[in-house]
Amino acid sequence: MSCPHAAAARGTASSDGTVVIDPLVQDLDGETARLCAVGPLARIELLGVPAWTVTRHAAARRLLVDPRLVKDIDAWELWRNGQVTRAWPLIGMIDAGRSMFTVDGAEHRRLRAKTSQALTPRRLEDIRPRIEEFTEELLDALAEHGERSEDGVVDLKAVFAQPLPMRVIGMLMGVDEAEHPMLLKRYKAFFSMLTPQDERLALLAELDEFYTALVRERTARPADDLTSALILAEEGGEPLTEEEVIGNLKAMVAAGHETTIGLILNSVRALLARPDQLRKVLDGEVAWETVIEETLRWDTPTTHLLMRFATEDIRVGDDVIAKGEGVVISYRVIGRDTEQHGPDADEFDITRPTPIRHMTFGHGPHICPGAALSRVEAGIALPALFARFPGLRAAVPDDGIRKLPVMTQNDMEAFPVLLHG
Ligand code: STR
């Protein structure tokens, strides 16, 4: 039995076992349980497009190091034969330009090397003071919003959890703060399933123009940021092409803000809904690191990661992923795997007796290069938030928090809170 709440999920997948993923995310927990109940591999439909998804920790661990699964969209039969086109609303999650996100093998190592070197725990110690400064500034902004608000309600997302990761990734990549509101607005529309596809394609083109201009500017006048470092050739090595630098920059800005917003908000939400657990953290009985890891496991910032493609038939248990088919990794479902996390995998519990060994950052060559950065950010933001506002509480009941209509990311519309209880 590796599906908690499987009984609740019974009979809800369609007769051939395909789970249709809801673009508006109206019942995320129900969908998670339904996917889990199908088995290690589930057939899903993403806005009319069929794919497989992986729902178990062990199976994902194997598949994520299987060289027969590749990122190259040209290995996708439905793309090659024209059944999937740029008119499909999720295409921007896959066809995102040449970067470390879309390439495998030796070329992938070449594309990714500088980025992962820049984001090691040791290198991140240099920017810790800056992250602490950003955090204090945004806590001041929260306090001001609280004072100005008539009913005392403040949106923790808009004022704190959203600007903080954008400032951090903006500083690293050299994106001017004046551009952050523009970027946040466009990425929100990019991820939202309510955005018409022609608008999404237009805003992606605008983002490309913005990033191209930034890369050309840094090519002419290098600065002390990772974008400039990506442009410069290694001693004796091949420099990245302009397209590759732009691709990496896009991937870093997109991944570097959206996922960490989710991590910070989901951690606060889980604790505010469980005062007994919050007490243990504030009393120093449980470390903030444990809160962060349990949130990463239980309420993953990334719900589904699109997509890899089979270059050969791949057998998984009783199923075969046929050559040319697409494979999604459903990290939220994987985080609830009872084989990996025990019978109470569906509970948020920071007092688990065993270490939390989740796979939320992925596994294998593409494992998240920003994992350490997100842990540093959340590890600064969460204790600082509760130190400044020890009486912090949610201003709406937990089930009143609205999720964004986004299929792949697990993020909220807003998180209304009261700063002083
Ligand atoms: C968004 C659009 C874009 O221009 C570039 C990328 C590449 C990296 C992707 C990003 C995307 C969407 C969110 C992702 C990120 C990598 C990690 C992040 C998938 C497609 C996660 O949610 C894990």
Side-chain angles (χ1 to χ4, degrees):
M1 232 306 284
S2 42
C3 298
H5 301 179
R10 212 173 287 141
T12 34
S14 71
S15 55
D16 67 347
T18 296
V19 176
V20 178
I21 305 299
D22 175 11
L24 301 182
V25 205
Q26 293 171 95
D27 177 19
L28 188 54
D29 286 329
E31 197 165 271
T32 302
R34 279 196 290 287
L35 285 169
C36 183
V38 177
L41 212 55
R43 278 217 160 271
I44 57 171
E45 206 180 289
L46 296 162
L47 301 165
V49 171
W52 291 101
T53 195
V54 188
T55 70
R56 294 291 191 282
H57 188 98
R61 221 181 137 82
R62 281 193 302 274
L63 286 168
L64 285 169
V65 293
D66 192 323
R68 296 171 298 176
L69 272 185
V70 299
K71 294 273 206 151
D72 178 8
I73 193 172
D74 291 326
W76 195 12
E77 183 58 32
L78 293 175
W79 174 256
R80 270 203 316 257
N81 72 19
Q83 275 175 261
V84 170
T85 66
R86 297 274 304 166
W88 184 50
L90 288 165
I91 196 64
M93 295 298 299
I94 305 170
D95 191 23
R98 187 176 159 85
S99 77
M100 61 182 146
F101 186 68
T102 55
V103 167
D104 296 283
E107 283 292 273
H108 172 246
R109 287 189 289 280
R110 171 180 158 267
L111 282 170
R112 173 177 159 122
K114 264 191 196 162
T115 303
S116 43
Q117 284 158 23
L119 298 174
T120 58
R122 203 177 56 81
R123 291 283 296 276
L124 292 176
E125 282 312 306
D126 298 346
I127 61 163
R128 178 181 289 276
R130 299 295 310 280
I131 303 178
E132 287 167 351
E133 266 172 48
F134 292 148
T135 302
E136 290 306 320
E137 277 169 33
L138 292 169
L139 290 173
D140 293 343
L142 263 184
E144 273 168 41
H145 274 81
E147 278 158 30
R148 270 191 274 126
S149 150
E150 262 174 34
D151 53 4
V153 177
V154 187
D155 179 3
L156 187 67
K157 177 175 180 181
V159 185
F160 184 72
Q162 175 166 264
L164 180 62
M166 186 51 102
R167 284 197 195 176
V168 175
I169 199 67
M171 165 187 71
L172 269 167
M173 304 311 297
V175 179
D176 203 90
E177 224 177 281
E179 312 285 1
H180 296 182
M182 173 280 286
L183 289 170
L184 289 169
K185 185 169 154 256
R186 291 207 170 125
Y187 281 113
K188 184 178 184 196
F190 165 73
F191 285 113
S192 171
M193 285 301 120
L194 298 177
T195 304
Q197 182 60 1
D198 54 343
E199 272 177 41
R200 184 171 2 256
L201 292 175
L203 74 84
L204 282 173
E206 287 159 7
L207 282 171
D208 272 343
E209 259 177 59
F210 169 75
Y211 289 120
T212 303
L214 178 57
V215 168
R216 293 197 174 149
E217 159 69 28
R218 287 302 189 279
T219 307
R221 276 173 297 277
D224 184 21
D225 54 42
L226 184 52
T227 301
S228 304
L230 289 173
I231 294 165
L232 295 171
E234 215 60 71
E235 293 263 347
E238 269 289 291
L240 303 189
T241 66
E242 184 177 91
E243 183 196 4
E244 290 166 339
V245 174
I246 294 170
N248 277 351
L249 171 60
K250 286 200 289 193
M252 290 289 291
V253 176
H257 81 281
E258 169 52 32
T259 48
T260 309
I261 296 173
L263 174 56
I264 294 172
L265 290 175
N266 297 345
S267 299
V268 175
R269 175 187 189 172
L271 288 178
L272 293 185
R274 291 166 187 78
D276 50 325
Q277 296 193 41
L278 175 58
R279 191 50 24 245
K280 289 197 165 70
V281 182
L282 297 182
D283 289 349
E285 278 174 53
V286 177
W288 282 105
E289 287 68 42
T290 308
V291 174
I292 293 167
E293 298 311 307
E294 182 67 347
T295 302
L296 285 165
R297 175 192 76 79
W298 181 77
D299 205 8
T300 59
T302 303
T303 308
H304 307 290
L305 192 116
L306 275 49
M307 199 187 278
R308 288 173 170 81
F309 311 101
T311 57
E312 286 171 41
D313 290 359
I314 303 173
R315 174 169 288 285
V316 180
D318 298 334
D319 295 305
V320 174
I321 304 167
K323 177 179 175 179
E325 286 186 323
V327 180
V328 170
I329 312 287
S330 290
Y331 284 108
R332 183 184 183 84
V333 190
I334 289 169
R336 307 295 182 96
D337 185 345
T338 56
E339 307 240 329
Q340 178 68 12
H341 303 292
D344 62 348
D346 245 359
E347 302 298 324
F348 179 89
D349 180 5
I350 55 175
T351 66
R352 289 171 187 279
T354 49
I356 305 153
R357 304 172 78 119
H358 64 73
M359 208 194 299
T360 298
F361 291 115
H363 178 65
H366 286 277
I367 190 167
C368 177
L373 175 60
S374 74
R375 285 172 165 136
V376 169
E377 288 181 47
I380 291 170
L382 294 170
L385 174 66
F386 282 94
R388 177 83 73 103
F389 305 110
L392 185 74
R393 63 182 174 90
V396 293
D398 194 68
D399 60 9
I401 294 173
R402 283 187 305 133
K403 306 298 281 194
L404 285 174
V406 172
M407 289 174 93
T408 53
Q409 318 300 121
N410 173 18
D411 191 357
M412 316 171 180
E413 198 81 59
F415 190 6
V417 296
L418 291 160
L419 299 174
H420 304 289

